[in-house]
Amino acid sequence: ILFSCSCLANVLGLNISSAFNSAVTVYVMIPLLLIPQMILSGLLFSFDKLNDILSTKGKVPIVADMMASRWAYEAMAVHHFQNNDFQSPYFDIQKTEAEADFKAAYLVEELKKKRRFITENYEDANDSLKLIFAKDINIIKSNLINEPFQEGLEAVDIQNLSVDNFNKEVSGALEIYLGAYKKHYQNIYNKSVATRDKMVYFFENNEEYDYNLNELKNEYYNESLADLVMNVAEKDRIIEYKGELIQQINPIYNEPKPDHLLDYRAQFFAPVKHFAGTYFSTYFFNSIIIWLMTALLYIALYFEAVGKGIKALGKISFSSGKESK
């Protein structure tokens, strides 16, 4: 990754050198190019802290995607956490554990709140409340329509659920289902923890493996990095944004859910990236992005596109009115 960034930086520097004749101009350009790379790398502050015009909750902002530092930093952080010798044997189990814990502890509680609010108010609702109900019902539908656990959901026509056909029977069926949903994912969580404990016991007590858990953890496990990629400092574990419930914790264990075939966007520190219907490791995908940026800069250098663009802008006149004699 660092080699890839050095190649990109060299080609970027050559573009600047070819576009400007003055060394002073080049020196002025350097901080203008470096400062956005630092600010939008994701290292200095969370992307959620950016203005809503620039940011999208749950996804890396488009403006940050134009920075090579963002792709490089994410690739190294994810790779070192996911594939170090201590973490890699348990990563898939911990991923299942984290997904189940999120659904059982946070997601289901939000869905229960929305069901309860609709049930208590839907009969004498005014127009403004109906808009809130419609939004809440869409949130319930979007989270349950493709949910793998469907036991008990057969009693609800979740596909066609709306404010108009919501009643006490539907509410009761949803209440029963959400209770079963919570227990289902609690069981998955408990089984995952037990499986991980068994793996640790097996490695430590099998003579075929030279496995010392404490030594591996001391050598390979970075607690600061783990806190970073799991976003443990985030107070709001789940937020509602534009009619969606967005997971804020454990981005390293949360696979992105693409909106369309070519949707590559995901939360920062996602374990994989989606593109063209296929999932790629974050390390591989981000490396390709950096080299594509390098290739574009090489093409721009070959055709002297930066210098020609600046000259073209210099010929544009913004003056108005008649010239004085």
Side-chain angles (χ1 to χ4, degrees), residues 69-207:
S69 57
R70 159 264 189 279
W71 298 101
Y73 173 53
E74 181 187 42
M76 290 191 292
V78 170
H79 179 75
H80 281 298
F81 177 82
Q82 188 175 355
N83 298 307
N84 69 76
D85 287 1
F86 171 77
Q87 190 77 21
S88 58
Y90 314 107
F91 182 82
D92 290 336
I93 295 294
Q94 288 176 322
K95 181 173 177 292
T96 303
E97 179 184 323
E99 289 172 349
D101 179 57
F102 173 76
K103 288 187 175 182
Y106 303 106
L107 180 59
V108 72
E109 296 303 323
E110 288 295 320
L111 298 179
K112 283 181 177 181
K113 286 180 186 178
K114 295 188 179 301
R115 183 209 64 82
R116 194 180 306 118
F117 176 75
I118 298 171
T119 303
E120 292 172 354
N121 298 281
Y122 79 95
E123 289 183 335
D124 49 89
N126 54 40
D127 291 340
S128 59
L129 274 178
K130 284 184 178 180
L131 292 175
I132 299 175
F133 295 161
K135 173 182 68 66
D136 288 349
I137 286 175
N138 283 331
I139 288 175
I140 293 173
K141 285 172 60 176
S142 64
N143 282 279
L144 298 183
I145 199 165
N146 294 317
E147 167 58 41
F149 178 73
Q150 294 284 317
E151 294 179 20
L153 198 59
E154 302 87 357
V156 182
D157 185 7
I158 196 69
Q159 185 77 40
N160 299 311
L161 185 63
S162 66
V163 178
D164 297 330
N165 58 26
F166 190 91
N167 52 48
K168 289 184 178 179
E169 289 75 18
V170 171
S171 176
L174 276 175
E175 183 178 13
I176 294 171
Y177 167 76
L178 291 174
Y181 176 100
K182 184 179 180 73
K183 290 181 180 179
H184 173 73
Y185 282 106
Q186 283 176 335
N187 289 335
I188 291 178
Y189 173 80
N190 292 333
K191 288 178 181 178
S192 299
V193 172
T195 301
R196 179 159 54 87
D197 290 342
K198 288 178 181 178
M199 289 176 66
V200 171
Y201 179 82
F202 173 79
F203 285 135
E204 288 186 328
N205 294 276
N206 194 315
E207 295 180 355

Side-chain angles (χ1 to χ4, degrees), residues 7-20 297-298 301 306:
C7 292
L8 182 141
N10 273 279
V11 181
L12 177 61
L14 289 171
N15 271 276
I16 299 302
S17 297
S18 68
F20 301 102
L297 287 172
Y298 180 84
L301 176 64
V306 177

